[in-house]
């Protein structure tokens, strides 16, 4: 079984919305063969809580406006360190970069096929590492 066309459409719209809000390391997996509750996962991260929330808000607004999709569940708003949007067909995880590294969801789903994403989303790969390196070098210079 593979992710449905609708799931792929939702994933691509969500990935583009996340990229437009400068999310880092956007990746999607087709988990339909291993999970019966959803077709696909989208993972994205940001270096701060405010940006995590901004990314999630943009995804939610874009999916509603363009595809008429509303999440059945939204979790994690309070701390904005890891917000989950559940659209039944897809589940979107937007994490603070530290949570992304700690929980390493990619390791759990690495055997699942990756879903091709819009070019803007693909270009975000490695951005978290680049941001951490720049932040680290800046802090190091101030010490």
């Amino acid at each position: 079984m593979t992710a449905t066309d609708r799931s792929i459409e939702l994933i691509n719209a969500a990935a583009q919305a996340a990229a437009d809000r400068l999310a880092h390391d956007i990746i999607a997996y087709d988990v339909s063969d291993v999970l019966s509750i959803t077709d696909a996962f989208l993972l994205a991260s940001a270096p701060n809580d405010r940006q995590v929330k901004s990314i999630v808000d943009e995804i939610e607004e874009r999916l509603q406006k363009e595809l008429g999709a509303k999440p059945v569940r939204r979790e994690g708003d309070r701390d904005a360190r890891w917000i989950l949007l559940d659209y039944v067909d897809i589940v979107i995880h937007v994490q603070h970069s530290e949570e992304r590294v700690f929980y390493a969801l990619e390791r759990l789903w690495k055997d699942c096929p990756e879903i091709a994403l819009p070019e803007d989303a693909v270009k975000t790969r490695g951005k978290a590492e680049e941001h951490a390196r720049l932040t680290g070098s800046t802090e190091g210079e101030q010490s």
Side-chain angles (χ1 to χ4, degrees), residues 21 45-46 48-60 74 76-83 85 94-96:
R21 288 291 180 185
S45 55
N48 61 62
D49 304 350
R50 178 183 282 164
Q51 192 174 357
V52 167
K53 188 157 179 21
S54 175
I55 292 164
V56 169
D57 289 345
E58 181 66 19
I59 290 169
E60 195 170 4
R74 180 174 169 153
D77 269 332
R78 187 168 169 212
D79 295 328
R81 301 283 295 179
W82 179 351
I83 299 177
L85 293 173
V94 181
Q95 299 173 295
H96 188 288

Side-chain angles (χ1 to χ4, degrees), residues 3 12 26 29 44 68 78 132:
N12 280 300
I26 303 168
Y29 294 101
R78 187 168 169 212

Side-chain angles (χ1 to χ4, degrees), residues 5-15 63 67 69 87 89-90:
D5 290 342
R6 174 68 172 169
S7 297
I8 301 297
E9 181 180 37
L10 290 167
I11 284 286
N12 280 300
L63 293 185
L67 302 171
Y87 285 87
D89 294 332
I90 69 167

Side-chain angles (χ1 to χ4, degrees), residues 17-74:
D20 290 348
R21 288 291 180 185
L22 307 178
H24 295 169
D25 300 318
I26 303 168
I27 193 165
Y29 294 101
D30 181 337
V31 296
S32 60
D33 283 342
V34 293
L35 292 176
S36 60
I37 58 171
T38 193
D39 282 348
F41 281 161
L42 179 73
L43 310 175
S45 55
N48 61 62
D49 304 350
R50 178 183 282 164
Q51 192 174 357
V52 167
K53 188 157 179 21
S54 175
I55 292 164
V56 169
D57 289 345
E58 181 66 19
I59 290 169
E60 195 170 4
E61 183 178 319
R62 182 106 34 114
L63 293 185
Q64 168 67 36
K65 189 190 299 184
E66 293 178 5
L67 302 171
K70 291 173 113 177
V72 296
R73 190 172 73 214
R74 180 174 169 153

